Amino acid sequence: LAKMDETYSLTASRNSEIRFAWHILCLKSKYEKIFDQVIAFATEQGRMKFTRPTYRALHASTIGKDIAVATFTANRERYHPICAKMVAKDLGL
């Protein structure tokens, strides 16, 4: 994944569709270097299309469960109430 990122600059992309796909791939592949970018992406936009799957993937990763819960708890008020309710349900809160 590091070579792929180096070649295509996926982590540096500002396109939400590319970032989302890249983050999900990295989380499923246990590429921990991406966690900071995943958290930034989850907190800087609130589209449920990206937010819910991002939190679910982070929560399902080996070391991301606590990170997902802490990040969501700290930023819950920034999300639309329906999005917040659904993500809380996804995280078991």
Side-chain angles (χ1 to χ4, degrees), residues 35-66:
F35 277 30
D36 290 339
Q37 287 81 11
V38 172
I39 292 165
F41 180 65
T43 58
E44 67 190 35
Q45 58 80 37
R47 290 199 59 202
M48 207 168 353
K49 171 184 178 178
F50 302 125
T51 304
R52 283 188 76 194
T54 299
Y55 273 111
R56 282 191 299 238
L58 184 59
H59 191 259
S61 67
T62 53
I63 65 167
K65 183 175 184 175
D66 294 334

mmCIF file of all heavy atoms in Angstrom, residues 35-66:
data_model
loop_
_atom_site.group_PDB
_atom_site.id
_atom_site.type_symbol
_atom_site.label_atom_id
_atom_site.label_comp_id
_atom_site.label_asym_id
_atom_site.label_seq_id
_atom_site.Cartn_x
_atom_site.Cartn_y
_atom_site.Cartn_z
ATOM 1 N N PHE A 35 -4.474 5.961 9.814
ATOM 2 C CA PHE A 35 -5.480 6.260 10.836
ATOM 3 C C PHE A 35 -5.702 7.757 11.043
ATOM 4 O O PHE A 35 -6.843 8.193 11.178
ATOM 5 C CB PHE A 35 -5.124 5.592 12.167
ATOM 6 C CG PHE A 35 -5.550 4.158 12.255
ATOM 7 C CD1 PHE A 35 -5.630 3.351 11.150
ATOM 8 C CD2 PHE A 35 -5.894 3.616 13.476
ATOM 9 C CE1 PHE A 35 -6.023 2.029 11.235
ATOM 10 C CE2 PHE A 35 -6.291 2.294 13.591
ATOM 11 C CZ PHE A 35 -6.356 1.499 12.461
ATOM 12 N N ASP A 36 -4.646 8.552 11.067
ATOM 13 C CA ASP A 36 -4.811 9.999 11.263
ATOM 14 C C ASP A 36 -5.624 10.630 10.134
ATOM 15 O O ASP A 36 -6.480 11.477 10.372
ATOM 16 C CB ASP A 36 -3.455 10.697 11.374
ATOM 17 C CG ASP A 36 -2.735 10.364 12.665
ATOM 18 O OD1 ASP A 36 -3.390 9.943 13.630
ATOM 19 O OD2 ASP A 36 -1.499 10.527 12.699
ATOM 20 N N GLN A 37 -5.370 10.184 8.901
ATOM 21 C CA GLN A 37 -6.112 10.721 7.762
ATOM 22 C C GLN A 37 -7.570 10.259 7.784
ATOM 23 O O GLN A 37 -8.463 11.011 7.405
ATOM 24 C CB GLN A 37 -5.456 10.305 6.442
ATOM 25 C CG GLN A 37 -4.163 11.020 6.154
ATOM 26 C CD GLN A 37 -2.967 10.409 6.885
ATOM 27 O OE1 GLN A 37 -3.057 9.339 7.458
ATOM 28 N NE2 GLN A 37 -1.851 11.098 6.868
ATOM 29 N N VAL A 38 -7.809 9.031 8.247
ATOM 30 C CA VAL A 38 -9.175 8.524 8.347
ATOM 31 C C VAL A 38 -9.958 9.340 9.371
ATOM 32 O O VAL A 38 -11.100 9.741 9.124
ATOM 33 C CB VAL A 38 -9.186 7.026 8.724
ATOM 34 C CG1 VAL A 38 -10.589 6.542 9.024
ATOM 35 C CG2 VAL A 38 -8.567 6.194 7.613
ATOM 36 N N ILE A 39 -9.354 9.604 10.493
ATOM 37 C CA ILE A 39 -10.012 10.396 11.533
ATOM 38 C C ILE A 39 -10.290 11.808 11.030
ATOM 39 O O ILE A 39 -11.383 12.344 11.235
ATOM 40 C CB ILE A 39 -9.154 10.413 12.818
ATOM 41 C CG1 ILE A 39 -9.137 9.017 13.433
ATOM 42 C CG2 ILE A 39 -9.677 11.437 13.817
ATOM 43 C CD1 ILE A 39 -8.072 8.812 14.472
ATOM 44 N N ALA A 40 -9.343 12.406 10.343
ATOM 45 C CA ALA A 40 -9.546 13.746 9.790
ATOM 46 C C ALA A 40 -10.699 13.743 8.795
ATOM 47 O O ALA A 40 -11.560 14.625 8.825
ATOM 48 C CB ALA A 40 -8.264 14.242 9.124
ATOM 49 N N PHE A 41 -10.746 12.750 7.941
ATOM 50 C CA PHE A 41 -11.817 12.652 6.947
ATOM 51 C C PHE A 41 -13.176 12.483 7.617
ATOM 52 O O PHE A 41 -14.152 13.128 7.236
ATOM 53 C CB PHE A 41 -11.535 11.477 6.007
ATOM 54 C CG PHE A 41 -12.571 11.284 4.935
ATOM 55 C CD1 PHE A 41 -12.756 12.241 3.957
ATOM 56 C CD2 PHE A 41 -13.337 10.139 4.894
ATOM 57 C CE1 PHE A 41 -13.705 12.060 2.955
ATOM 58 C CE2 PHE A 41 -14.287 9.947 3.903
ATOM 59 C CZ PHE A 41 -14.467 10.910 2.924
ATOM 60 N N ALA A 42 -13.240 11.646 8.632
ATOM 61 C CA ALA A 42 -14.509 11.388 9.319
ATOM 62 C C ALA A 42 -15.016 12.619 10.059
ATOM 63 O O ALA A 42 -16.228 12.775 10.235
ATOM 64 C CB ALA A 42 -14.354 10.226 10.288
ATOM 65 N N THR A 43 -14.117 13.488 10.467
ATOM 66 C CA THR A 43 -14.545 14.650 11.250
ATOM 67 C C THR A 43 -14.695 15.931 10.432
ATOM 68 O O THR A 43 -15.343 16.862 10.882
ATOM 69 C CB THR A 43 -13.565 14.919 12.412
ATOM 70 O OG1 THR A 43 -12.255 15.119 11.889
ATOM 71 C CG2 THR A 43 -13.562 13.777 13.393
ATOM 72 N N GLU A 44 -14.127 15.994 9.243
ATOM 73 C CA GLU A 44 -14.208 17.240 8.481
ATOM 74 C C GLU A 44 -15.401 17.296 7.539
ATOM 75 O O GLU A 44 -15.700 18.337 6.981
ATOM 76 C CB GLU A 44 -12.916 17.521 7.721
ATOM 77 C CG GLU A 44 -12.611 16.552 6.623
ATOM 78 C CD GLU A 44 -11.209 16.724 6.051
ATOM 79 O OE1 GLU A 44 -10.284 17.061 6.802
ATOM 80 O OE2 GLU A 44 -11.046 16.506 4.853
ATOM 81 N N GLN A 45 -16.081 16.217 7.349
ATOM 82 C CA GLN A 45 -17.303 16.209 6.550
ATOM 83 C C GLN A 45 -18.320 15.348 7.277
ATOM 84 O O GLN A 45 -17.971 14.573 8.136
ATOM 85 C CB GLN A 45 -17.030 15.720 5.124
ATOM 86 C CG GLN A 45 -16.421 14.347 5.008
ATOM 87 C CD GLN A 45 -17.437 13.226 5.142
ATOM 88 O OE1 GLN A 45 -18.557 13.333 4.675
ATOM 89 N NE2 GLN A 45 -17.046 12.168 5.803
ATOM 90 N N GLY A 46 -19.574 15.506 6.944
ATOM 91 C CA GLY A 46 -20.588 14.774 7.689
ATOM 92 C C GLY A 46 -21.557 13.988 6.825
ATOM 93 O O GLY A 46 -22.618 13.602 7.295
ATOM 94 N N ARG A 47 -21.208 13.767 5.584
ATOM 95 C CA ARG A 47 -22.105 13.012 4.713
ATOM 96 C C ARG A 47 -22.207 11.580 5.192
ATOM 97 O O ARG A 47 -21.204 10.888 5.343
ATOM 98 C CB ARG A 47 -21.603 13.034 3.270
ATOM 99 C CG ARG A 47 -21.743 14.406 2.640
ATOM 100 C CD ARG A 47 -21.705 14.377 1.156
ATOM 101 N NE ARG A 47 -22.766 13.547 0.614
ATOM 102 C CZ ARG A 47 -22.714 13.007 -0.603
ATOM 103 N NH1 ARG A 47 -21.680 13.204 -1.371
ATOM 104 N NH2 ARG A 47 -23.698 12.277 -1.041
ATOM 105 N N MET A 48 -23.410 11.135 5.427
ATOM 106 C CA MET A 48 -23.614 9.786 5.936
ATOM 107 C C MET A 48 -23.068 8.740 4.959
ATOM 108 O O MET A 48 -22.634 7.670 5.371
ATOM 109 C CB MET A 48 -25.095 9.531 6.228
ATOM 110 C CG MET A 48 -25.266 8.496 7.288
ATOM 111 S SD MET A 48 -26.875 8.236 8.042
ATOM 112 C CE MET A 48 -27.942 9.462 7.484
ATOM 113 N N LYS A 49 -23.064 9.069 3.684
ATOM 114 C CA LYS A 49 -22.515 8.185 2.654
ATOM 115 C C LYS A 49 -21.077 7.779 2.974
ATOM 116 O O LYS A 49 -20.665 6.654 2.700
ATOM 117 C CB LYS A 49 -22.573 8.908 1.309
ATOM 118 C CG LYS A 49 -21.865 8.220 0.178
ATOM 119 C CD LYS A 49 -21.912 9.086 -1.070
ATOM 120 C CE LYS A 49 -21.157 8.435 -2.206
ATOM 121 N NZ LYS A 49 -21.220 9.223 -3.438
ATOM 122 N N PHE A 50 -20.321 8.716 3.546
ATOM 123 C CA PHE A 50 -18.929 8.447 3.899
ATOM 124 C C PHE A 50 -18.748 8.184 5.389
ATOM 125 O O PHE A 50 -17.924 7.361 5.779
ATOM 126 C CB PHE A 50 -18.032 9.628 3.495
ATOM 127 C CG PHE A 50 -18.080 9.979 2.048
ATOM 128 C CD1 PHE A 50 -18.399 11.265 1.643
ATOM 129 C CD2 PHE A 50 -17.795 9.042 1.074
ATOM 130 C CE1 PHE A 50 -18.431 11.616 0.306
ATOM 131 C CE2 PHE A 50 -17.828 9.369 -0.271
ATOM 132 C CZ PHE A 50 -18.154 10.661 -0.663
ATOM 133 N N THR A 51 -19.476 8.895 6.204
ATOM 134 C CA THR A 51 -19.270 8.852 7.651
ATOM 135 C C THR A 51 -19.553 7.488 8.250
ATOM 136 O O THR A 51 -18.714 6.934 8.969
ATOM 137 C CB THR A 51 -20.132 9.930 8.344
ATOM 138 O OG1 THR A 51 -19.817 11.199 7.769
ATOM 139 C CG2 THR A 51 -19.854 9.972 9.832
ATOM 140 N N ARG A 52 -20.715 6.938 7.981
ATOM 141 C CA ARG A 52 -21.069 5.640 8.579
ATOM 142 C C ARG A 52 -20.112 4.529 8.174
ATOM 143 O O ARG A 52 -19.571 3.827 9.035
ATOM 144 C CB ARG A 52 -22.497 5.253 8.222
ATOM 145 C CG ARG A 52 -23.528 6.002 9.026
ATOM 146 C CD ARG A 52 -24.902 5.461 8.794
ATOM 147 N NE ARG A 52 -25.063 4.197 9.507
ATOM 148 C CZ ARG A 52 -26.066 3.357 9.288
ATOM 149 N NH1 ARG A 52 -26.977 3.624 8.384
ATOM 150 N NH2 ARG A 52 -26.149 2.243 9.979
ATOM 151 N N PRO A 53 -19.870 4.323 6.882
ATOM 152 C CA PRO A 53 -18.941 3.241 6.519
ATOM 153 C C PRO A 53 -17.523 3.463 7.046
ATOM 154 O O PRO A 53 -16.829 2.503 7.392
ATOM 155 C CB PRO A 53 -18.960 3.233 4.989
ATOM 156 C CG PRO A 53 -20.178 3.957 4.590
ATOM 157 C CD PRO A 53 -20.477 4.921 5.693
ATOM 158 N N THR A 54 -17.099 4.724 7.128
ATOM 159 C CA THR A 54 -15.760 5.009 7.649
ATOM 160 C C THR A 54 -15.664 4.629 9.113
ATOM 161 O O THR A 54 -14.716 3.945 9.527
ATOM 162 C CB THR A 54 -15.403 6.500 7.445
ATOM 163 O OG1 THR A 54 -15.424 6.792 6.045
ATOM 164 C CG2 THR A 54 -14.035 6.809 8.011
ATOM 165 N N TYR A 55 -16.636 5.043 9.906
ATOM 166 C CA TYR A 55 -16.634 4.670 11.319
ATOM 167 C C TYR A 55 -16.772 3.160 11.504
ATOM 168 O O TYR A 55 -16.114 2.573 12.365
ATOM 169 C CB TYR A 55 -17.742 5.400 12.089
ATOM 170 C CG TYR A 55 -17.331 6.755 12.594
ATOM 171 C CD1 TYR A 55 -17.869 7.914 12.063
ATOM 172 C CD2 TYR A 55 -16.391 6.890 13.615
ATOM 173 C CE1 TYR A 55 -17.497 9.164 12.529
ATOM 174 C CE2 TYR A 55 -16.012 8.130 14.086
ATOM 175 C CZ TYR A 55 -16.564 9.266 13.542
ATOM 176 O OH TYR A 55 -16.182 10.493 14.016
ATOM 177 N N ARG A 56 -17.602 2.520 10.700
ATOM 178 C CA ARG A 56 -17.758 1.057 10.819
ATOM 179 C C ARG A 56 -16.453 0.351 10.510
ATOM 180 O O ARG A 56 -16.065 -0.585 11.208
ATOM 181 C CB ARG A 56 -18.863 0.559 9.895
ATOM 182 C CG ARG A 56 -20.255 0.816 10.422
ATOM 183 C CD ARG A 56 -21.302 0.071 9.625
ATOM 184 N NE ARG A 56 -21.300 0.478 8.226
ATOM 185 C CZ ARG A 56 -22.349 0.976 7.587
ATOM 186 N NH1 ARG A 56 -23.492 1.125 8.201
ATOM 187 N NH2 ARG A 56 -22.251 1.312 6.318
ATOM 188 N N ALA A 57 -15.769 0.773 9.452
ATOM 189 C CA ALA A 57 -14.495 0.145 9.085
ATOM 190 C C ALA A 57 -13.428 0.402 10.138
ATOM 191 O O ALA A 57 -12.651 -0.494 10.478
ATOM 192 C CB ALA A 57 -14.032 0.648 7.721
ATOM 193 N N LEU A 58 -13.380 1.612 10.655
ATOM 194 C CA LEU A 58 -12.409 1.935 11.705
ATOM 195 C C LEU A 58 -12.699 1.114 12.959
ATOM 196 O O LEU A 58 -11.796 0.551 13.575
ATOM 197 C CB LEU A 58 -12.446 3.428 12.017
ATOM 198 C CG LEU A 58 -11.425 3.962 13.021
ATOM 199 C CD1 LEU A 58 -10.005 3.688 12.545
ATOM 200 C CD2 LEU A 58 -11.631 5.462 13.219
ATOM 201 N N HIS A 59 -13.964 1.017 13.314
ATOM 202 C CA HIS A 59 -14.388 0.259 14.500
ATOM 203 C C HIS A 59 -14.081 -1.229 14.338
ATOM 204 O O HIS A 59 -13.744 -1.909 15.315
ATOM 205 C CB HIS A 59 -15.885 0.483 14.733
ATOM 206 C CG HIS A 59 -16.379 -0.023 16.030
ATOM 207 N ND1 HIS A 59 -17.050 -1.212 16.156
ATOM 208 C CD2 HIS A 59 -16.305 0.501 17.283
ATOM 209 C CE1 HIS A 59 -17.383 -1.396 17.420
ATOM 210 N NE2 HIS A 59 -16.935 -0.363 18.130
ATOM 211 N N ALA A 60 -14.171 -1.749 13.129
ATOM 212 C CA ALA A 60 -13.924 -3.166 12.870
ATOM 213 C C ALA A 60 -12.439 -3.513 12.771
ATOM 214 O O ALA A 60 -12.068 -4.682 12.864
ATOM 215 C CB ALA A 60 -14.623 -3.588 11.579
ATOM 216 N N SER A 61 -11.577 -2.494 12.602
ATOM 217 C CA SER A 61 -10.145 -2.764 12.486
ATOM 218 C C SER A 61 -9.579 -3.216 13.831
ATOM 219 O O SER A 61 -10.178 -2.985 14.881
ATOM 220 C CB SER A 61 -9.403 -1.528 11.976
ATOM 221 O OG SER A 61 -9.440 -0.497 12.924
ATOM 222 N N THR A 62 -8.427 -3.832 13.789
ATOM 223 C CA THR A 62 -7.859 -4.449 14.984
ATOM 224 C C THR A 62 -7.588 -3.475 16.120
ATOM 225 O O THR A 62 -7.852 -3.781 17.272
ATOM 226 C CB THR A 62 -6.548 -5.195 14.636
ATOM 227 O OG1 THR A 62 -5.679 -4.306 13.944
ATOM 228 C CG2 THR A 62 -6.810 -6.414 13.805
ATOM 229 N N ILE A 63 -7.068 -2.288 15.818
ATOM 230 C CA ILE A 63 -6.783 -1.335 16.898
ATOM 231 C C ILE A 63 -7.637 -0.081 16.804
ATOM 232 O O ILE A 63 -7.468 0.847 17.579
ATOM 233 C CB ILE A 63 -5.290 -0.938 16.936
ATOM 234 C CG1 ILE A 63 -4.895 -0.182 15.685
ATOM 235 C CG2 ILE A 63 -4.411 -2.129 17.174
ATOM 236 C CD1 ILE A 63 -3.557 0.503 15.789
ATOM 237 N N GLY A 64 -8.582 -0.044 15.885
ATOM 238 C CA GLY A 64 -9.353 1.162 15.667
ATOM 239 C C GLY A 64 -10.632 1.299 16.462
ATOM 240 O O GLY A 64 -11.257 2.353 16.442
ATOM 241 N N LYS A 65 -11.021 0.264 17.187
ATOM 242 C CA LYS A 65 -12.293 0.308 17.904
ATOM 243 C C LYS A 65 -12.344 1.478 18.885
ATOM 244 O O LYS A 65 -13.278 2.285 18.861
ATOM 245 C CB LYS A 65 -12.534 -1.006 18.635
ATOM 246 C CG LYS A 65 -13.859 -1.074 19.333
ATOM 247 C CD LYS A 65 -14.104 -2.442 19.939
ATOM 248 C CE LYS A 65 -15.488 -2.501 20.554
ATOM 249 N NZ LYS A 65 -15.813 -3.828 21.033
ATOM 250 N N ASP A 66 -11.358 1.581 19.739
ATOM 251 C CA ASP A 66 -11.322 2.661 20.728
ATOM 252 C C ASP A 66 -11.166 4.023 20.063
ATOM 253 O O ASP A 66 -11.738 5.014 20.517
ATOM 254 C CB ASP A 66 -10.196 2.432 21.733
ATOM 255 C CG ASP A 66 -10.426 1.201 22.591
ATOM 256 O OD1 ASP A 66 -11.603 0.817 22.769
ATOM 257 O OD2 ASP A 66 -9.443 0.622 23.075
#
